Amino acid sequence: MAIVKTASSADTCPILVVPYMWIGDFVRCHSVVKVLNARWPHRPIDVLTTTRCEPLLRYMPGVRKGITVDLPRRKVALLQHKALGDRLAAENYATVLVMPRTWKSALAPFLAGIPERVGFVGEARFGLINDLRWGESKLPRMIDRCGALALPNEAILPTEWPLPALVVPKAEVAEWRNKQDLASSGLVVALAPGAVGPSKRWPASAYADIARRLSADGIAVWLLGGPEEHSLASEIARAGGSDVHNLTGPDLRNAIVALAAANAAISNDSGLLHVAAALGTPSIGIFGPTSPWHWAPLNPLAATIESTIPLACRPCHKPICHLEHHRCMNDIPASEVLKATYEALKIAAAANV
């Protein structure tokens, strides 16, 4: 392993963070930014980002700026990595933390000549990473794997990491609501019915039931997600009533500000659950095949909902239920989620007193 100089706490050389580009993992990365801010208070922190995740950085304290690039996922694209390497070289980074364990995620930092390149061995990245870390498989949680890279090699990891904290100014929330014609002062519950893979999605009919009951009680319902969730949200909105609004779309900022404005949120195990929790919005997380201990946000949730029926097939990370019954989600009653939602609304009301 190469000997890499460790910067002092008074150093002012910038640091680049290369996170995972899934929304939930990107939010989780803010814990790492906080660790770096505490360890090196005078070093600016930049984050490599995709166009989709870039809006998150606007609300992430402690980050100087994002370096936005959309590299192809299924090929190396050497010319694009070289161009990115040239961009990174111009920033004079002294340190980069490469969180993904892939070979190509370390390529541009190597081509940029960043002196200290920290990451796990991954795909035999000898040379590309010069501060190689081992033992990734012994760290079951994603936050432990990512956070370890912000600490000295072989440091004892904390039992609790700093919590992600997204901050949306109240004036921006008010402006957004006016533009969306959603300036009513009544209660709002945001629903995020999407997830990566059908197995992590609570049935649309169950979300529609929740939307219908909340709407009947005079509570506005906002459906959030990306373009891929538009048809699903439309189905729920049609069944939910006149005060159910489909706000899905391509701009993640729309969902971030909506979650900041909402009084409570209901979400599957998805990126928007992490966003809601990091905003401090009382959130109900619905977990079917996946383990909340591994994948729930670090921020406390108002409620974690799981099937109470023991299932030998859980946890499962298949995108589609290979047993075809999908009981881990289908057996969760809407009444349980609705009860947790009203408890979350009480929490929100008490916080605003």
Side-chain angles (χ1 to χ4, degrees), residues 176 180 182 187-195 201-215 219-268 270 272-273 276 286 337:
W176 175 85
Q180 298 287 335
L182 296 170
L187 291 175
V188 174
V189 173
L191 307 185
R201 296 175 192 154
W202 199 39
S205 58
Y207 272 108
D209 190 9
I210 291 288
R212 187 165 48 249
R213 295 196 208 184
L214 290 172
S215 183
I219 299 171
V221 176
W222 297 347
L223 290 155
L224 307 178
E228 59 274 16
E229 276 88 50
H230 181 78
S231 60
L232 172 64
S234 296
E235 176 186 347
I236 296 168
R238 284 193 298 271
S242 60
D243 210 11
V244 179
H245 305 272
N246 183 354
L247 302 181
T248 57
D251 188 356
L252 180 58
R253 175 186 171 271
N254 183 67
I256 296 168
V257 181
L259 287 167
N263 301 100
I266 304 170
S267 176
N268 301 323
S270 71
L272 291 186
L273 179 61
I286 303 174
V337 176

Side-chain angles (χ1 to χ4, degrees), residues 1-4 129-132:
M1 181 183 298
I3 302 298
V4 180
I129 299 293
N130 62 359
D131 184 352
L132 280 169

Side-chain angles (χ1 to χ4, degrees), residues 12-347:
T12 59
C13 298
I15 300 171
L16 177 67
V17 175
V18 180
Y20 289 92
M21 296 301 175
W22 298 102
I23 291 171
D25 293 331
F26 202 94
V27 172
R28 189 183 281 115
C29 171
H30 193 223
S31 295
V32 179
V33 170
K34 287 186 170 184
V35 172
L36 292 171
N37 289 152
R39 186 179 177 193
W40 290 304
H42 305 293
R43 300 184 70 181
I45 311 295
D46 293 351
V47 178
L48 193 70
T49 181
T50 59
T51 300
R52 184 180 190 186
C53 290
E54 187 274 334
L56 289 164
L57 295 179
R58 306 181 197 180
Y59 309 109
M60 206 175 268
V63 175
R64 180 178 68 171
K65 66 178 180 180
I67 303 294
T68 304
V69 64
D70 294 306
L71 296 169
R73 293 179 66 94
R74 300 188 183 278
K75 58 182 179 179
V76 176
L78 285 174
L79 290 178
Q80 289 172 265
H81 280 272
K82 177 61 170 63
L84 176 58
D86 291 342
R87 287 176 62 188
L88 299 181
E91 299 288 345
N92 295 312
Y93 295 114
T95 302
V96 58
L97 275 56
V98 183
M99 294 175 184
R101 62 195 311 274
T102 61
W103 184 85
K104 68 178 184 178
S105 64
L107 184 56
F110 169 77
L111 295 174
I114 299 175
E116 183 182 26
R117 303 183 298 277
V118 186
F120 286 103
V121 174
E123 297 176 340
R125 302 185 293 183
F126 303 101
L128 294 180
I129 299 293
N130 62 359
D131 184 352
L132 280 169
R133 305 293 177 88
W134 301 80
E136 182 183 22
S137 61
K138 296 179 181 179
L139 302 173
R141 295 191 307 165
M142 181 68 74
I143 182 55
D144 296 319
R145 297 180 181 188
C146 295
L149 300 181
L151 299 174
N153 197 5
E154 299 184 357
I156 297 174
L157 302 187
T159 55
E160 294 184 2
W161 295 94
L163 300 179
L166 302 178
V167 180
V168 180
K170 291 183 178 180
E172 185 173 343
V173 172
E175 180 184 8
W176 175 85
R177 292 189 69 155
N178 285 327
K179 285 184 177 180
Q180 298 287 335
D181 195 23
L182 296 170
S184 169
S185 59
L187 291 175
V188 174
V189 173
L191 307 185
V196 178
S199 69
K200 293 168 64 175
R201 296 175 192 154
W202 199 39
S205 58
Y207 272 108
D209 190 9
I210 291 288
R212 187 165 48 249
R213 295 196 208 184
L214 290 172
S215 183
D217 282 347
I219 299 171
V221 176
W222 297 347
L223 290 155
L224 307 178
E228 59 274 16
E229 276 88 50
H230 181 78
S231 60
L232 172 64
S234 296
E235 176 186 347
I236 296 168
R238 284 193 298 271
S242 60
D243 210 11
V244 179
H245 305 272
N246 183 354
L247 302 181
T248 57
D251 188 356
L252 180 58
R253 175 186 171 271
N254 183 67
I256 296 168
V257 181
L259 287 167
N263 301 100
I266 304 170
S267 176
N268 301 323
D269 175 15
S270 71
L272 291 186
L273 179 61
H274 288 259
V275 173
L279 287 164
T281 301
S283 305
I284 294 92
I286 303 174
F287 289 83
T290 53
S291 160
W293 186 83
H294 284 91
W295 301 109
L298 289 182
N299 309 77
L301 296 175
T304 298
I305 307 293
E306 301 178 79
S307 173
T308 57
I309 299 173
L311 295 170
C313 53
R314 291 186 72 223
C316 165
H317 298 285
K318 302 284 186 183
I320 299 174
C321 177
H322 64 288
L323 298 178
E324 299 184 355
H325 58 62
H326 203 204
R327 292 186 62 191
C328 61
M329 278 299 202
N330 290 335
D331 287 347
I332 296 175
S335 58
E336 183 179 353
V337 176
L338 190 67
K339 179 182 177 182
T341 303
Y342 280 105
E343 291 297 321
L345 291 172
K346 289 181 183 177
I347 294 172

